[in-house]
Amino acid sequence: MDVDRPLQRRLTRRARRTVRVTMSQGSSAGSPGEAICVVPGDCLCAADDKHVAGKGTIERSGYIYSCLVGRVYTQQQQDKTELVEVRTGQEQNIVPTAGSVVTAKVTYVNPRFLRCEILCIGETVLKHKFRGMLKKEDVRATERDKVKMYECFRPGDVILAKVVSLGDALSYVLSTAENELGVALAHSEAGALMVPLSWAEMRCPLTQARELRKVAKIPPEDVAFRLARSAAADPAAG
C-alpha cells in the first residue's frame, strides 16, 4: 500500500527535499509513485490519533520527525492507526569490532554491570541485534570505584558506547569512559524524553524532575541522526 495522499501532501510540504522513488509498505514492494526522501530533523506529520512514530522516527512536541536519511513508509495497524517509519535501505549484517562506536538500548541494570542490545554500529542499522555488557569499572575514566550503576543508566536508555572486546557467551564488552559516550536518549519516570542538563543530570520537561545519568556529550542533532533510530526499534519508545 502506498503512503496515503493526505499524509503524502503533508510530507511534501514539510520535507526539505523529495525525489521520485518506488513506494512500498512493510517489506512488500508497491507500485511506483511519488515517495518522500527525508533527512534527520524533517517534520513528517502530526503525532495524533491517526499517526504513530515508528522505526527511524521520533516524536517531539506533538509531531513526528525523521531520525534518518531515507524513505518514508506507512503501515496500517490493527487499531486503524498509521505507523510512520523511515528506512535507509542500508541495513547490513556487520559485526562489532574492538574500537567500534555502537548505539545500544539498555535492557537490564544491576550494581555491577548492565546488559544491552546493540542496534547500530557507527551509522549502520543492524538487521540482527548483538548483546552487549557494560561493567561498572568501564563506565567512566575517573573515580571508577565511586560509580553507581543506577545513577548512570536505566533500562530503556539509548546509549553510545565503544566496543572493548568480545566477552563470554558472545556478549560484547563495552565502555563509556569518554565524554562523548554515555546516555544519549532517556525517558523520565513520567514517560517524557528528557533534556540533558550536565554530564551527570537530565531533566523531565513535563515534571521538571531531575534524574541522574552518565550523559554523553554530543550535539542534539547528532543524537537524532545516530541514536533516536535505535529507540525506534521499539515503536513504543517513540
Side-chain angles (χ1 to χ4, degrees), residues 5 32 46 87 99 106-107 112 134 154 158 168 173 199-200 219 224 230:
R5 293 189 180 278
R87 302 178 190 174
V106 178
T107 57
R112 296 182 295 110
L134 174 62
R154 301 283 179 86
V158 176
D168 298 332
V173 177
W199 65 271
S230 66

Side-chain angles (χ1 to χ4, degrees), residues 7 31 38 43 48 69 99 101 125 131 142 157 165 167 214 237:
L7 174 58
S31 58
V38 293
C43 183
D48 51 25
V69 176
V101 175
V125 180
R131 290 181 292 183
T142 60
D157 288 354
S165 64
K214 198 283 186 186

Side-chain angles (χ1 to χ4, degrees), residues 26 30-31 63 93 138 166 190 197:
S31 58
Y63 289 91
N93 188 19
D138 294 324
L166 175 60
L197 293 179

Side-chain angles (χ1 to χ4, degrees), residues 56-187:
T57 70
I58 189 170
E59 180 182 335
R60 286 177 185 254
S61 304
Y63 289 91
I64 297 174
Y65 293 86
S66 172
C67 303
L68 300 174
V69 176
R71 302 176 184 176
V72 179
Y73 294 78
T74 65
Q75 186 171 12
Q76 185 92 27
Q77 302 192 99
Q78 291 183 351
D79 60 0
K80 305 302 181 182
T81 60
E82 291 281 342
L83 183 67
V84 181
E85 299 181 338
V86 176
R87 302 178 190 174
T88 65
Q90 298 177 347
E91 294 187 352
Q92 302 177 28
N93 188 19
I94 62 175
V95 178
T97 57
S100 298
V101 175
V102 300
T103 302
K105 190 170 185 178
V106 178
T107 57
Y108 172 79
V109 181
N110 72 21
R112 296 182 295 110
F113 63 88
L114 67 76
R115 295 193 185 278
C116 59
E117 292 182 336
I118 298 173
L119 306 174
C120 305
I121 300 175
E123 296 177 358
T124 301
V125 180
L126 299 173
K127 286 184 178 180
H128 305 289
K129 302 170 186 176
F130 294 94
R131 290 181 292 183
M133 179 175 66
L134 174 62
K135 300 177 182 178
K136 174 181 177 180
E137 55 267 29
D138 294 324
V139 170
R140 61 189 187 210
T142 60
E143 298 183 323
R144 296 182 178 183
D145 57 326
K146 296 182 180 180
V147 170
K148 295 181 180 180
M149 294 297 288
Y150 290 114
E151 294 182 355
C152 298
F153 308 97
R154 301 283 179 86
D157 288 354
V158 176
I159 66 173
L160 271 181
K162 185 170 287 187
V163 177
V164 176
S165 64
L166 175 60
D168 298 332
L170 299 179
S171 181
Y172 288 88
V173 177
L174 307 177
S175 170
T176 57
E178 297 179 22
N179 291 340
E180 294 77 17
L181 305 177
V183 176
L185 293 175
H187 287 80

